[in-house]
Each structure stands twice: as C-alpha cells, then as structure tokens.
Amino acid sequence: MKIVAGLGNPGSAYAGHRHNVGFMALDRLQALPGMGPWRSRFQGLACDGTLGGARVLLLKPQTFMNLSGQSVSEALRFLKLAPSDLTVVHDDIDLAPGRLKVKTGGGHAGHNGLRSISQHIGDAYHRVRIGVGHPGHKDAVAPYVLHDFSKADGAWLDALLRGIEDGAEALARQDWPALQNAVALRAAPPRPPKPRPGPPPGPPPDAPPDAPQATDDPRSVLRRLADRFR
C-alpha cells in the first residue's frame, strides 16, 4: 500500500485557497471508482481503495497546514510504511500556474506543511508540486496562498486536476513520468496533424501524353484538337 497525502487547511473558509490545491486533487481522486468514503482517521480524513489495481490510502490532514506532520506520521506508523511509500501533493509558488513537477527528498522551500512532515519523518518522501505562481514579492506570499484562486485560474486548474485524475494509477504506483505525461496531455493536448496536400491536378497516370485534359472550355473535343494543331 502507498499513502497519498494532500495538504491544505480544514474548513469551508479555506476550501478555495491556493494553499488547498492538495485537498482539491485528493477530492478528485476519492471520487474515482475503487475508492471508499472519507472517514475520520489519523487526525485527518482518510479513504482507502484501489486506483487501477494499486492499493492506496488518501489522506487529508485536519491539523491545519503547520501541523501536517502529526497526521502523516501517525498514518505511516499505523500502516508500518516507510517515508518512501508516501507521496505529498501540495501547492508550489516557485512553479508557474498549471505546471506539475515531482521531487523526491530535499528541503521544504519554506512550505510549512512540508516543514512539519520533514520534522516528523525526515525528507525521503515524494512530493507532487502543483504550481500556483508567485505574487512577486516575498511579503505577499502568505496572503496570496491564503486566498481563493481567481476566475482566470479556473481553466488551467480544472485541466491540471483532470490530468491528475487521468494519471491516478500512475500516482498510486509512483510512476512519475506517466503521471507528468497525463497532466501534460490535459494542459496542452496535442494538435491534430495538418492534412497532407493532394496530388496536383492533371491527367490520370495511365493517360497517353497527348490525351486531352478536363477543361471548362465549352468547345467540342474535335474543335479543340483542330485548334491545337493549326
């Protein structure tokens, strides 16, 4: 079994915040066939089931962002899993809106949810980073992430979340190239190939060299041939 934890803050007041995009992603996954209902477990909301045959526990910590590690570490201990069995889905201000990247290990880059998790279990877990963009100045970061997505964000956000749905099995199996490809196809679907130009107009291949060609000329065939050899 693997654990996929989405980060966010509990309560309806935070539901649309950029900081809660991890919760949004997990809500999409929970609605897929094979997943059970949300239940109160591990200081959070958890559901288990299968995504494409892969056994997985989805976890939304309800401890508020700064204490996410309490919930995540409790689930790992109970299920006797290692940090490498954990994937954390979270917002990332260092990525452009709509971008998704996967990282294993490393620092928390100032993200309080990751900081808390790393304090409890170390940093050898996987992170699915969802880009939400940067407000432009570090002093504006907190109000920016603790604010609802704008209407202009709606199209790319829905495409990205649909891509995560498409890549649900890959996420559960920790197949990162397949997950990133699924998201990329939603974010920038391939263009249909341009039609190839047809052959130029002319006589059919088996026509004799001097065969008369189709024309809009109203004169009779014999008249045209006579005019041609004058």
Side-chain angles (χ1 to χ4, degrees):
M1 173 179 275
K2 305 296 184 184
I3 296 178
V4 178
L7 299 189
N9 287 305
S12 58
Y14 301 95
H17 286 187
R18 294 179 177 91
H19 225 18
N20 272 44
V21 74
F23 278 10
M24 297 176 193
L26 260 66
D27 285 337
R28 296 291 189 103
L29 296 176
Q30 185 271 334
L32 293 174
M35 297 305 301
W38 292 115
R39 302 180 187 277
S40 294
R41 298 179 68 189
F42 311 125
Q43 303 180 60
L45 294 175
C47 70
D48 58 73
T50 57
L51 293 172
R55 188 78 175 167
V56 65
L57 176 85
L58 304 180
L59 177 63
K60 296 194 298 182
Q62 301 293 290
T63 53
F64 285 93
M65 184 71 78
N66 294 2
L67 300 176
S68 299
Q70 294 180 3
S71 173
V72 170
S73 61
E74 182 178 329
L76 282 176
R77 287 194 304 271
F78 182 86
L79 297 172
K80 297 180 173 59
L81 297 175
S84 59
D85 296 314
L86 170 68
T87 300
V88 177
V89 183
H90 65 92
D91 60 301
D92 195 314
I93 60 171
D94 293 326
L95 292 180
R99 294 289 305 279
L100 181 145
K101 288 190 175 182
V102 180
K103 176 183 177 181
T104 300
H108 52 71
H111 193 289
N112 289 330
L114 298 182
R115 178 187 283 111
S116 177
I117 292 171
S118 296
Q119 288 172 346
H120 281 80
I121 67 168
D123 63 5
Y125 56 92
H126 310 285
R127 305 101 187 270
V128 173
R129 305 162 57 202
I130 296 177
V132 297
H134 197 286
H137 193 280
K138 64 179 182 179
D139 293 338
V141 167
Y144 176 76
V145 297
L146 293 174
H147 194 277
D148 287 359
F149 283 103
S150 69
K151 290 184 178 180
D153 293 323
W156 70 255
L157 179 60
D158 184 65
L160 185 143
L161 294 175
R162 286 179 181 272
I164 292 176
E165 289 181 60
D166 295 342
E169 179 179 356
L171 175 59
R173 295 185 182 279
Q174 298 182 344
D175 183 347
W176 309 130
L179 171 63
Q180 291 174 301
N181 185 60
V183 173
L185 287 175
R186 281 287 186 178
R191 296 179 180 178
K194 293 182 179 180
R196 299 180 62 182
D206 56 349
D210 293 331
Q213 299 184 25
T215 177
D216 292 332
D217 195 333
R219 296 175 297 164
S220 68
V221 174
L222 290 176
R223 179 68 178 176
R224 294 199 303 273
L225 285 174
D227 291 345
R228 180 178 179 185
F229 290 103
R230 280 183 178 177

